[in-house]
Amino acid sequence: MARLSRKKRILLIVLILLAVLLAGTGAGGWLVYTGRIRLNHPSESRYPVRGVDVSHYQGKIDWQVLSAQSIQFAYIKATEGSSLVDEYFAQNWKDAHETPLYVGAYHFFSFDSPGQSQAENFIATVPDTENALPPVIDLEYYGDKAKNPPERDAVRQELDALIRALEAHYGKTPVIYTTYSCYRQYLKGDMPDCPIWYRSVYAPPVIGPEWTFWQYRCDARLPGYAGNHWEQKNIDLNVYRGSYAEFLEEFALTDKQTNTE
């Protein structure tokens, strides 16, 4: 991944600070909320491989319609913790694999249950499908965890157990999706040997880990899903850090989209 020059980094930091100041006002907050102020516009020429991630929040998905929205991959929520299974996963997994998209499944990590039982939940739910993307572990705070972060060593013990179990079963190193706060608390200084999917929805990720995927929007609107409630009308958008050829090589994928370059 090409690094930003020092001058560009300084400029981005200044723009981020300006956006924060604007967001502190009613008008500025409205502009940011409605997307009229947006600092992260990943170049399509630099990041040609794009995708979405979905869960039950998007409701019923017409994958033929969604897959036609200039995207190449999709990650689908499968499980959470040691017992929860997303109610739409099985249908989404089947239907998405009938499109040209590269498809993967993700697991929402629980700070409150053992890594091994979380792995068992995911493995029981997600088939080991040929040409699928590697599993993703979604490591982010929920509830009051941001205010009271669980102890690092205990979290890493369960996270590492989950990583090992998924890698052993699927033969692929899991990807870790994370925010800057969780990266700093649990990964920085002792990064697992996993690709990182980094959430940065207000500006390019100039701080934090080297990333493989970047979630740059959480409020997009695309045709192809039900969105029965206001929060379900939004969908997350992501980019891969390199070219289409690099994407195929990194994840040992067979080319399904010969027209994509």
Side-chain angles (χ1 to χ4, degrees), residues 2-12 46 206:
R3 292 181 178 274
L4 293 173
S5 69
R6 184 172 180 272
K7 288 183 178 180
K8 287 183 178 179
R9 283 175 177 264
I10 292 172
L11 177 60
L12 282 170
R46 185 176 181 184
V206 294

Side-chain angles (χ1 to χ4, degrees), residues 56-175:
H56 63 280
Y57 286 116
Q58 279 68 47
K60 182 174 174 56
I61 296 174
D62 185 331
W63 283 96
Q64 295 300 324
V65 173
L66 186 60
S67 66
Q69 307 304 308
S70 298
I71 58 175
Q72 289 73 44
F73 68 89
Y75 265 103
I76 301 167
K77 182 176 182 181
T79 51
E80 181 173 335
S82 296
S83 59
L84 189 148
V85 175
D86 190 285
E87 62 183 302
Y88 285 90
F89 173 73
Q91 192 65 51
N92 279 336
W93 186 256
K94 174 182 177 297
D95 293 347
H97 276 286
E98 294 173 356
T99 74
L101 295 175
Y102 295 95
V103 183
Y106 76 87
H107 171 81
F108 192 93
F109 180 80
S110 170
F111 293 101
D112 303 305
S113 59
Q116 181 59 41
S117 61
Q118 295 191 57
E120 291 168 0
N121 185 26
F122 186 89
I123 290 168
T125 303
V126 181
D128 186 3
T129 304
E130 184 178 359
N131 218 32
L133 288 165
V136 165
I137 300 167
D138 182 343
L139 177 66
E140 60 181 299
Y141 292 127
Y142 56 86
D144 67 347
K145 302 300 185 185
K147 293 181 180 179
N148 302 287
E151 192 268 329
R152 177 185 172 112
D153 289 345
V155 170
R156 281 302 300 270
Q157 180 177 341
E158 303 309 330
L159 176 63
D160 292 346
L162 174 58
I163 292 170
R164 290 193 301 269
L166 295 184
E167 187 167 21
H169 182 80
Y170 294 99
K172 300 176 182 179
T173 303
V175 175

